[in-house]
Amino acid sequence: MRAVVLVMAGLLAGLVAAGPAAARGDSPDDVERKLFEFKDKRIDESSGLAVSPTHEGVVYTHNDSGAGPQFYAVGMDGRTRATFTLGGAEARDWEGMAATVDPETGRGVLWFADIGDNLEGAWSDISVYKVFEPTRLRDATLPAVRYRFRYADGARNAEGIMVHPRTGRLYIVSKEFDGSIYQAPKELRTDRVNVLRRVGDAPTMATDAAFAPDGTSFVIRTYFSASVYQAPGKLLGTVPMPILRQSESIAYTRDGRYLLTGSEGVSSPVYQVPIPADLTGARATPSPSASAAEAAPAETVRTGGGGVTTTMIAVWLGIAAGAIVIIGLIARWAVR
């Protein structure tokens, strides 16, 4: 058993060393760093993350399935500033959230995605809730608008939601080995189910997604890295992510220079990761008024890349090899 422990320790040490090393730079601003840990014990399955559009130094998060329709405003010290409940909302399996700004009022808008479906067909439709960001950070129940959706090509499990900051158009990213990006109609209806149509590929097992603040690019998070796109099928590159217990969330900072990423678990951390300048997408914007994602046709041919890099493959192979070694050692020890 001692040999098994040593092998496992060596494998984990190698993975941890491989992760942060890829994000090191020449200045403090270029270095991946932990911003905080959630202090609130109620936040035990942080699944969505968004930066407040109007409250400086505040992020929002919510729990995964099994929790009620609540979300939390959290400061950069990890302490909860306020807890909010969505009036009349359900929480079957909340998996992600997004934040935008209403162009007419300037108020922040928060979107909560009840889109998890591990049985890929358990629900006849999925829901996304829209709520205006509270102007004051104190506990309250907020009125929410519910939009119902179904996929044009059959039910999917999904964990990623992103809303374009200029057009307000909504996208869902499925969590599958052969993942997809789905686009909602330009105008959402509350009196009927809205249809989501596939517009491109997504990386394998995507856990979250977010648009850059200027709308010129978007990011999709997986368990191992983050892929930045100019549009569906147009991969700009990948950003190494910290090794986390269960990588669940991704969001851009207000200035678009960094990604924030989080994990599940009590006292789970939130990391800040710098984005390389060549992955901002601004250098290849289709037009000032066009959305990066909307520049793609309604149906995009699968490119097969999906943002899976050689680094990710190496990590997977390393994990597989380590598992084989561990299983072999346990088997040898058991027959002694």
Side-chain angles (χ1 to χ4, degrees):
M1 288 299 292
R2 184 171 178 271
V4 173
V5 173
L6 290 174
V7 171
M8 292 179 69
L11 176 63
L12 290 174
L15 290 175
V16 171
R24 293 184 185 126
D26 296 326
S27 69
D29 289 340
D30 294 330
V31 178
E32 162 199 305
R33 65 187 180 94
K34 183 167 72 173
L35 286 182
F36 62 83
E37 293 181 353
F38 290 114
K39 302 292 194 300
D40 194 331
K41 301 305 181 184
R42 295 174 298 171
I43 305 175
D44 56 0
E45 282 191 291
S46 174
S47 188
L49 188 69
V51 174
S52 168
T54 61
H55 296 292
E56 190 69 36
V58 169
V59 299
Y60 296 107
T61 190
H62 62 81
N63 283 321
D64 204 333
S65 59
Q70 285 90 31
F71 69 97
Y72 305 88
V74 180
M76 290 297 107
D77 58 357
R79 299 186 183 280
T80 298
R81 302 283 184 84
T83 302
F84 301 100
T85 301
L86 271 61
E90 292 182 271
R92 293 185 308 198
D93 194 354
W94 282 20
E95 288 290 358
M97 67 173 298
T100 56
V101 175
D102 183 88
E104 296 182 359
T105 64
R107 290 189 62 183
V109 180
L110 305 178
W111 307 77
F112 297 90
D114 196 355
I115 58 176
D117 186 354
N118 291 323
L119 298 179
E120 297 185 5
W123 315 118
S124 59
D125 56 71
I126 57 176
S127 299
V128 174
Y129 295 94
K130 175 184 177 181
V131 61
F132 278 107
E133 182 182 20
T135 55
R136 299 181 64 181
L137 296 179
R138 62 181 183 183
D139 294 1
T141 297
L142 308 174
V145 177
R146 179 190 183 189
Y147 298 105
R148 297 164 60 206
F149 297 90
R150 67 173 177 85
Y151 299 93
D153 55 356
R156 297 283 185 273
N157 184 33
E159 294 192 3
I161 178 177
M162 53 186 185
V163 180
H164 195 277
R166 293 179 183 174
T167 67
R169 195 154 191 175
L170 185 147
Y171 297 82
I172 299 293
V173 181
S174 68
K175 183 183 180 182
E176 303 170 290
F177 284 102
D178 193 17
S180 298
I181 302 171
Y182 289 89
Q183 183 185 70
K186 287 184 178 180
E187 299 294 332
L188 298 180
R189 301 279 297 268
T190 58
D191 59 342
R192 68 185 186 195
V193 177
N194 301 274
V195 178
L196 295 163
R197 303 189 183 280
R198 184 185 179 281
V199 293
D201 292 339
T204 298
M205 302 302 286
T207 59
D208 203 4
F211 267 106
D214 61 4
T216 60
S217 59
F218 61 88
V219 63
I220 299 179
R221 179 74 158 105
T222 70
Y223 286 125
F224 298 103
S225 71
S227 301
V228 181
Y229 296 83
Q230 183 200 346
K234 297 182 179 180
L235 178 68
L236 294 174
T238 58
V239 181
M241 290 283 109
I243 301 297
L244 299 175
R245 173 183 172 183
Q246 185 169 335
S247 307
E248 283 288 324
S249 58
I250 197 84
Y252 280 86
T253 55
R254 281 195 198 177
D255 59 11
R257 296 175 56 200
Y258 303 93
L259 294 171
L260 302 186
T261 187
S263 175
E264 290 189 350
V266 176
S267 301
S268 59
V270 171
Y271 279 82
Q272 175 179 284
V273 181
I275 306 172
D278 60 342
L279 298 187
T280 61
R283 54 187 172 81
T285 309
S287 69
S289 60
S291 136
E294 290 168 6
E299 289 292 335
T300 304
V301 177
R302 292 182 180 270
T303 59
V308 179
T309 66
T310 54
T311 300
M312 293 165 61
I313 293 172
V315 171
W316 292 337
L317 290 175
I319 293 173
I324 292 171
V325 171
I326 291 170
I327 291 170
L329 289 171
I330 292 174
R332 291 177 60 188
W333 175 80
V335 297
R336 288 180 179 177

